[in-house]
Amino acid sequence: MRRFIAAAEEIEEKRVILRDPDEIRHVKVLRLRPGEHVIVSDGSMFEYECRIEKIGETGVEAVILDKQRSAGEPAQFIDLYQAVPKHPKMETVIQKSVELGVSAIYPILSSRTLVLQKADVDKRQSRWQRIAAEATKQCR
């Protein structure tokens, strides 16, 4: 089954509405249709088995069939404090560490960091979050 991540406010008691443009695009790229079953994660402890009801431009509506504690959640949470390396390396560090089960990644600006400006890190943060979300979906 295909996996998607929803924000807490997108999950109601009996249904889920995916409003994130990246998730909507992902549903369309996979050519999913109403009636198909998917797994939706709330990004914390629970996964929902859902049946897609409606696919629109502004959202994907699905009915919750089952709610379970996520089997992929580790028993111990691991935080990674990583000094920011040169540009493409940080993306690889994020991807691989999330795949291995790291719960949180904290970028550190050290005296040897080439990205000395906080504005550069802030700009890259949204990209890093997307990479982490994709790795999460890939490895559950």
Side-chain angles (χ1 to χ4, degrees), residues 112-140:
R112 302 236 180 207
T113 301
L114 294 177
V115 182
L116 294 177
Q117 312 219 345
K118 185 166 174 18
D120 292 340
V121 174
D122 290 341
K123 221 182 338 183
R124 294 182 185 168
Q125 184 177 3
S126 64
R127 175 156 173 77
W128 293 345
Q129 288 174 335
R130 275 197 320 272
I131 290 168
E134 290 169 6
T136 301
K137 286 194 275 188
Q138 174 109 12
C139 290
R140 301 181 185 175

Tab-separated table of all heavy atoms in Angstrom, residues 112-140:
chain	number	residue	atom	x	y	z
A	112	ARG	N	34.048	25.724	11.557
A	112	ARG	CA	34.529	25.203	10.268
A	112	ARG	C	33.415	25.076	9.232
A	112	ARG	O	33.661	24.636	8.118
A	112	ARG	CB	35.173	23.851	10.477
A	112	ARG	CG	36.323	23.915	11.451
A	112	ARG	CD	37.524	23.395	10.814
A	112	ARG	NE	38.629	23.467	11.771
A	112	ARG	CZ	39.853	23.567	11.394
A	112	ARG	NH1	40.140	23.616	10.120
A	112	ARG	NH2	40.808	23.614	12.282
A	113	THR	N	32.221	25.414	9.594
A	113	THR	CA	31.102	25.333	8.662
A	113	THR	C	31.253	26.372	7.571
A	113	THR	O	31.484	27.548	7.853
A	113	THR	CB	29.769	25.545	9.405
A	113	THR	OG1	29.640	24.552	10.415
A	113	THR	CG2	28.595	25.449	8.461
A	114	LEU	N	31.106	25.935	6.311
A	114	LEU	CA	31.218	26.867	5.191
A	114	LEU	C	29.963	27.707	5.029
A	114	LEU	O	30.005	28.780	4.472
A	114	LEU	CB	31.521	26.108	3.898
A	114	LEU	CG	32.884	25.431	3.863
A	114	LEU	CD1	33.049	24.659	2.569
A	114	LEU	CD2	33.996	26.446	4.033
A	115	VAL	N	28.837	27.206	5.514
A	115	VAL	CA	27.599	27.972	5.482
A	115	VAL	C	27.561	28.768	6.772
A	115	VAL	O	27.072	28.312	7.787
A	115	VAL	CB	26.373	27.033	5.401
A	115	VAL	CG1	25.096	27.829	5.315
A	115	VAL	CG2	26.491	26.101	4.231
A	116	LEU	N	28.083	29.967	6.755
A	116	LEU	CA	28.212	30.745	7.979
A	116	LEU	C	26.981	31.585	8.287
A	116	LEU	O	26.843	32.083	9.382
A	116	LEU	CB	29.449	31.644	7.898
A	116	LEU	CG	30.780	30.904	7.864
A	116	LEU	CD1	31.920	31.892	7.713
A	116	LEU	CD2	30.968	30.079	9.116
A	117	GLN	N	26.122	31.767	7.329
A	117	GLN	CA	24.983	32.642	7.531
A	117	GLN	C	23.748	31.827	7.877
A	117	GLN	O	23.419	30.866	7.203
A	117	GLN	CB	24.745	33.449	6.270
A	117	GLN	CG	26.030	34.054	5.763
A	117	GLN	CD	25.839	35.435	5.230
A	117	GLN	OE1	24.729	35.836	4.988
A	117	GLN	NE2	26.914	36.140	5.057
A	118	LYS	N	23.066	32.235	8.908
A	118	LYS	CA	21.859	31.533	9.334
A	118	LYS	C	20.784	31.588	8.256
A	118	LYS	O	19.994	30.656	8.113
A	118	LYS	CB	21.348	32.131	10.639
A	118	LYS	CG	20.168	31.370	11.212
A	118	LYS	CD	19.906	31.768	12.618
A	118	LYS	CE	18.677	31.185	13.225
A	118	LYS	NZ	18.061	30.055	12.649
A	119	ALA	N	20.781	32.642	7.448
A	119	ALA	CA	19.793	32.768	6.374
A	119	ALA	C	19.922	31.616	5.376
A	119	ALA	O	18.916	31.118	4.865
A	119	ALA	CB	19.939	34.102	5.666
A	120	ASP	N	21.148	31.173	5.100
A	120	ASP	CA	21.347	30.057	4.183
A	120	ASP	C	20.752	28.771	4.746
A	120	ASP	O	20.127	28.001	4.023
A	120	ASP	CB	22.843	29.845	3.912
A	120	ASP	CG	23.458	30.978	3.109
A	120	ASP	OD1	22.703	31.714	2.443
A	120	ASP	OD2	24.692	31.122	3.158
A	121	VAL	N	20.943	28.535	6.019
A	121	VAL	CA	20.410	27.340	6.663
A	121	VAL	C	18.887	27.404	6.684
A	121	VAL	O	18.209	26.412	6.420
A	121	VAL	CB	20.981	27.182	8.083
A	121	VAL	CG1	20.328	26.023	8.802
A	121	VAL	CG2	22.489	26.985	8.029
A	122	ASP	N	18.326	28.564	6.981
A	122	ASP	CA	16.869	28.714	7.003
A	122	ASP	C	16.268	28.417	5.628
A	122	ASP	O	15.199	27.820	5.530
A	122	ASP	CB	16.476	30.116	7.456
A	122	ASP	CG	16.768	30.345	8.928
A	122	ASP	OD1	16.918	29.351	9.667
A	122	ASP	OD2	16.861	31.520	9.336
A	123	LYS	N	16.963	28.838	4.572
A	123	LYS	CA	16.481	28.608	3.219
A	123	LYS	C	16.475	27.114	2.887
A	123	LYS	O	15.562	26.617	2.235
A	123	LYS	CB	17.390	29.338	2.228
A	123	LYS	CG	16.657	30.004	1.117
A	123	LYS	CD	17.489	30.704	0.076
A	123	LYS	CE	18.875	31.119	0.437
A	123	LYS	NZ	19.550	31.856	-0.637
A	124	ARG	N	17.488	26.426	3.350
A	124	ARG	CA	17.616	24.998	3.043
A	124	ARG	C	16.750	24.124	3.946
A	124	ARG	O	16.533	22.952	3.644
A	124	ARG	CB	19.069	24.573	3.171
A	124	ARG	CG	19.939	25.219	2.130
A	124	ARG	CD	21.345	24.742	2.240
A	124	ARG	NE	22.191	25.471	1.311
A	124	ARG	CZ	23.492	25.443	1.332
A	124	ARG	NH1	24.117	24.721	2.240
A	124	ARG	NH2	24.189	26.125	0.460
A	125	GLN	N	16.271	24.674	5.029
A	125	GLN	CA	15.521	23.875	5.994
A	125	GLN	C	14.284	23.224	5.379
A	125	GLN	O	14.008	22.056	5.638
A	125	GLN	CB	15.117	24.721	7.191
A	125	GLN	CG	14.421	23.920	8.266
A	125	GLN	CD	14.080	24.748	9.484
A	125	GLN	OE1	14.314	25.942	9.524
A	125	GLN	NE2	13.521	24.112	10.482
A	126	SER	N	13.538	23.936	4.546
A	126	SER	CA	12.343	23.344	3.952
A	126	SER	C	12.722	22.191	3.022
A	126	SER	O	12.031	21.169	2.977
A	126	SER	CB	11.523	24.394	3.207
A	126	SER	OG	12.257	24.907	2.119
A	127	ARG	N	13.821	22.333	2.307
A	127	ARG	CA	14.287	21.228	1.448
A	127	ARG	C	14.687	20.029	2.306
A	127	ARG	O	14.363	18.884	1.981
A	127	ARG	CB	15.451	21.681	0.581
A	127	ARG	CG	16.050	20.547	-0.230
A	127	ARG	CD	16.771	21.007	-1.461
A	127	ARG	NE	17.454	19.918	-2.114
A	127	ARG	CZ	16.885	18.995	-2.874
A	127	ARG	NH1	15.578	19.035	-3.077
A	127	ARG	NH2	17.589	18.042	-3.446
A	128	TRP	N	15.396	20.287	3.396
A	128	TRP	CA	15.808	19.202	4.281
A	128	TRP	C	14.592	18.488	4.864
A	128	TRP	O	14.590	17.272	5.010
A	128	TRP	CB	16.699	19.739	5.389
A	128	TRP	CG	18.030	20.244	4.927
A	128	TRP	CD1	18.627	20.030	3.714
A	128	TRP	CD2	18.933	21.070	5.663
A	128	TRP	NE1	19.842	20.665	3.655
A	128	TRP	CE2	20.059	21.311	4.837
A	128	TRP	CE3	18.907	21.626	6.923
A	128	TRP	CZ2	21.134	22.084	5.254
A	128	TRP	CZ3	19.978	22.389	7.339
A	128	TRP	CH2	21.091	22.614	6.511
A	129	GLN	N	13.551	19.232	5.191
A	129	GLN	CA	12.336	18.617	5.731
A	129	GLN	C	11.652	17.735	4.686
A	129	GLN	O	11.128	16.670	5.013
A	129	GLN	CB	11.383	19.686	6.256
A	129	GLN	CG	11.873	20.317	7.541
A	129	GLN	CD	11.026	21.485	8.003
A	129	GLN	OE1	10.356	22.137	7.212
A	129	GLN	NE2	11.074	21.750	9.298
A	130	ARG	N	11.654	18.172	3.425
A	130	ARG	CA	11.081	17.357	2.355
A	130	ARG	C	11.873	16.055	2.182
A	130	ARG	O	11.296	14.986	1.997
A	130	ARG	CB	11.060	18.122	1.033
A	130	ARG	CG	9.864	19.012	0.859
A	130	ARG	CD	9.650	19.440	-0.592
A	130	ARG	NE	10.848	19.765	-1.328
A	130	ARG	CZ	11.429	20.967	-1.380
A	130	ARG	NH1	10.895	21.966	-0.717
A	130	ARG	NH2	12.512	21.171	-2.089
A	131	ILE	N	13.203	16.169	2.237
A	131	ILE	CA	14.054	14.980	2.101
A	131	ILE	C	13.769	14.000	3.242
A	131	ILE	O	13.659	12.792	3.021
A	131	ILE	CB	15.543	15.380	2.061
A	131	ILE	CG1	15.833	16.092	0.748
A	131	ILE	CG2	16.452	14.171	2.236
A	131	ILE	CD1	17.179	16.783	0.696
A	132	ALA	N	13.628	14.514	4.454
A	132	ALA	CA	13.331	13.662	5.607
A	132	ALA	C	11.961	13.001	5.453
A	132	ALA	O	11.806	11.811	5.766
A	132	ALA	CB	13.394	14.470	6.905
A	133	ALA	N	10.983	13.737	4.972
A	133	ALA	CA	9.638	13.166	4.781
A	133	ALA	C	9.659	12.056	3.717
A	133	ALA	O	9.020	11.009	3.887
A	133	ALA	CB	8.652	14.255	4.391
A	134	GLU	N	10.394	12.277	2.630
A	134	GLU	CA	10.486	11.252	1.588
A	134	GLU	C	11.183	10.002	2.104
A	134	GLU	O	10.774	8.883	1.810
A	134	GLU	CB	11.233	11.818	0.376
A	134	GLU	CG	10.443	12.852	-0.379
A	134	GLU	CD	11.268	13.604	-1.405
A	134	GLU	OE1	12.455	13.255	-1.619
A	134	GLU	OE2	10.731	14.546	-2.006
A	135	ALA	N	12.226	10.183	2.893
A	135	ALA	CA	12.940	9.028	3.473
A	135	ALA	C	12.048	8.286	4.461
A	135	ALA	O	12.088	7.053	4.538
A	135	ALA	CB	14.221	9.485	4.155
A	136	THR	N	11.227	9.026	5.193
A	136	THR	CA	10.289	8.408	6.132
A	136	THR	C	9.279	7.535	5.395
A	136	THR	O	8.997	6.411	5.800
A	136	THR	CB	9.553	9.483	6.952
A	136	THR	OG1	10.514	10.251	7.650
A	136	THR	CG2	8.566	8.871	7.928
A	137	LYS	N	8.730	8.060	4.313
A	137	LYS	CA	7.767	7.286	3.536
A	137	LYS	C	8.418	6.048	2.923
A	137	LYS	O	7.812	4.986	2.872
A	137	LYS	CB	7.152	8.136	2.425
A	137	LYS	CG	6.148	9.159	2.929
A	137	LYS	CD	5.341	9.735	1.817
A	137	LYS	CE	6.050	10.882	1.150
A	137	LYS	NZ	5.198	11.573	0.175
A	138	GLN	N	9.659	6.192	2.482
A	138	GLN	CA	10.369	5.090	1.843
A	138	GLN	C	10.620	3.940	2.815
A	138	GLN	O	10.435	2.781	2.490
A	138	GLN	CB	11.697	5.592	1.289
A	138	GLN	CG	12.576	4.512	0.745
A	138	GLN	CD	12.693	4.551	-0.737
A	138	GLN	OE1	12.309	5.500	-1.368
A	138	GLN	NE2	13.207	3.491	-1.301
A	139	CYS	N	11.069	4.279	4.019
A	139	CYS	CA	11.501	3.237	4.970
A	139	CYS	C	10.513	2.996	6.100
A	139	CYS	O	10.825	2.269	7.033
A	139	CYS	CB	12.863	3.608	5.542
A	139	CYS	SG	14.132	3.476	4.310
A	140	ARG	N	9.384	3.669	6.070
A	140	ARG	CA	8.337	3.504	7.076
A	140	ARG	C	8.818	3.911	8.444
A	140	ARG	O	8.617	3.309	9.427
A	140	ARG	CB	7.814	2.083	7.090
A	140	ARG	CG	7.248	1.681	5.761
A	140	ARG	CD	6.723	0.288	5.794
A	140	ARG	NE	6.299	-0.053	4.444
A	140	ARG	CZ	5.889	-1.224	4.107
A	140	ARG	NH1	5.837	-2.184	4.973
A	140	ARG	NH2	5.516	-1.459	2.888
